[in-house]
Structure formats: C-alpha cells, structure tokens
Amino acid sequence: MTRSYSFLVNPTSGGGTAPRVVVPVARRLREAGAAVEVTYTSSAADVPPLVKAAVAAGSVVVAVGGDGMLSSVAGEVARAGGVLAVLPAGRGNDFVRQLDLPADADAQVRLLETGEPRPIDLLAVTGGAEVLVAGSVYCGVDARAGELVNRSHWLPSKLQYPVATVRALATYRPFDLAVTLEGDDGVQHSQHRAACVVVANSGYYGKGVHIAPSAVVDDGALDVVVIEAAGRLDLIRSLPKAYDGSHVALDEVTVLRGRRVTISGTYDDGSAVPAGADGEPLGSLGTAADPLTVELRPGAVRMLA
C-alpha cells in the first residue's frame, strides 16, 4: 500500500532553504502515486492541530526544518501515536547527524517510501508545562550561545555557531549546579561549579559538537554532561575537543547516565541560568525550590530512520 505524507515546513529554517528542500522530494513522491500535502508554518502553535489531522488521516508526518522544528513535531507525533520522518533544512541538523540520515533527495525519497518505523527515545522536560525534546536540553554557556545564534542571521550560516560559541565563552559566568540522577544504580546527588550542563538523548548539538559521544537515541538512557567552570581562555582552547568527543576525557568533564535527572542552580548574584533545547530557548535552569526535570521516554515516537 502506498503511504501518504504530510510535510510540515518551517519556511524560515536554514535561512529560507526549507522550501527548496521539500519541493523535489514532494514532487517525486507524487509522481510515484503518493498522496502528499505540504503545509508551511513558522508558528509552533500551528503544529499540534496539523499533526493531529495528519495522523488521523494515516499520513507519515514529515518535519522539514531544523532541530527545533523536528523536536516540536516529534513531540506531537508521539502524543498522537503517528509515524515521523524528517528532511533536514536547518542550520544545525544535529539529530539527523546522529541518525546518519541521507542528505540527497533520491535517498530521502527511498527512505520515505520503504523505510520501516523504528522506536526513538524522547526527553520529557518539566519545569512548568511538559515539553518533549528529541535531541538535548542544555543550560549555561551553551544556552547563551544558542541565544546569540538566533541573533546572528547577518552572518553566513557556517559561521553562526562558531562565532556565537566563542562570544559566549568569552563572556560566560560560572554557576553552582545541583544534579540528582535516577538510574539503575539508584539515586546519585552531586554538586558542581559549572560552565554548562547538557542532558542528551542525541550525541550532537550546536552544529556538529559531539557533546555526548556515548548517547544513543534508542538505548533507554539519557546522558548528563557537566563541564566544570574554568578560565575563559581554557574553555576556548578546549573547544575543538568537543567536536570529536575527546573532551569527555578531561578532568573538568563529568558524564553521568540514567533515566531521570533533576537539575537546579543560579549565578552568584542569584540571577537565572538560561536554558535551551534543540536550538530553541527553554527559559531557565530553575532553582532548588523549582528545578528543571528531564526524564527519558523510551521508544516514545516511531520514526523512519
């Protein structure tokens, strides 16, 4: 039986590249006899009703955009019990990098037509309303870098992440971090003087930074990577190690694995530490009285991958 597809396209992703990505794939699928619907939207509020309608119609929901678009669509597809696919068209495309999905249109069409859905884990984030995240949640200097990336549209795409990262590291502030991790070994508590903390389902973030090299998206575990506070120049010098994952061997890096983690902390002046998830702002890290909790949801969404 021929599949039907509902493409949800963020037209602003990747500096406007998303429409150019979706058109040849949608055309090939239509030529093969598939029913294809393409909807353009840059509003997160549009995603839930569009996903519900597509899943109810029996269509594969295809997210076309960056990691933020993928995350928002994945959560809704998981809730609706549908099947998810992705066409990368963002600046980072880190979840696609983790899954090693094809980048050329012919291979993408083959995957959409013949790929078998596989269960993929998601992260459930609570610190208010629950948010489902595909890739990672991060707090501290990397969240600050994410804010700078979102203001860097005047730069060429390949420079936006490196420039934002160096700018964030050059002005970062350390913070006191409390971590409570639940896993097979029970409950672990730790305190850190940190530059950042990352809760990862996928190993990559920040346009190719291999922040959690042991992370796997269907292993039923989340990885917590804490980078301890250090001098600004030391952090900048060690940045290249994060691209190949060798930073985890440094004494300043702690890697934990479990199923549920609660994190909290503030800067020395009591101000909030910024948080982000898959390239989008997520508020703040939270305090001891109102922490951020991230729980793994094993096999939460079925994905063509």
Side-chain angles (χ1 to χ4, degrees), residues 57-268:
S59 296
V60 174
V61 182
V62 187
V64 187
D67 291 308
M69 180 66 172
L70 169 62
S71 237
S72 65
V73 173
E76 295 305 322
V77 173
R79 292 185 179 102
V83 175
L84 172 69
V86 58
L87 291 183
R91 288 173 294 184
N93 302 321
D94 287 299
F95 202 78
V96 167
R97 181 177 287 105
Q98 174 75 26
L99 292 171
D100 195 25
L101 296 182
D104 68 279
D106 289 337
Q108 289 168 342
V109 169
R110 287 195 296 272
L111 177 61
L112 289 170
E113 289 180 326
T114 64
E116 290 297 323
R118 57 180 280 202
I120 298 293
D121 303 338
L122 295 177
L123 302 174
V125 186
T126 53
E130 180 182 272
V131 178
L132 292 179
V133 172
S136 61
V137 177
Y138 40 86
C139 309
V141 67
D142 40 9
R144 173 61 178 155
E147 293 173 352
L148 293 171
V149 166
N150 290 332
R151 301 174 191 168
S152 301
H153 298 286
W154 54 276
L155 279 171
S157 177
K158 66 180 180 179
L159 294 178
Q160 289 173 4
Y161 276 95
V163 169
T165 300
V166 172
R167 286 180 61 195
L169 287 171
T171 58
Y172 100 96
R173 292 186 287 164
F175 60 95
D176 292 319
L177 171 70
V179 178
T180 299
L181 181 75
E182 300 174 28
D184 293 338
D185 297 328
V187 180
Q188 303 177 53
H189 302 278
S190 57
Q191 300 282 333
H192 306 267
R193 183 70 171 167
C196 64
V197 56
V198 183
V199 182
N201 180 40
S202 168
Y204 291 94
Y205 80 160
K207 198 179 177 72
V209 176
H210 207 182
I211 191 64
S214 62
V216 181
V217 297
D218 58 0
D219 64 350
L222 53 78
D223 286 38
V224 181
V225 181
V226 180
I227 298 179
E228 305 287 345
R232 293 187 177 101
L233 287 177
D234 289 335
L235 288 172
I236 292 172
R237 289 191 189 103
S238 64
L239 178 61
K241 292 181 180 293
Y243 279 89
D244 63 14
S246 61
H247 65 292
V248 297
L250 298 173
D251 292 339
E252 296 81 8
V253 178
T254 300
V255 180
L256 307 167
R257 284 172 60 82
R259 292 186 300 273
R260 185 176 188 270
V261 64
T262 300
I263 50 179
S264 62
T266 60
Y267 289 121
D268 291 344

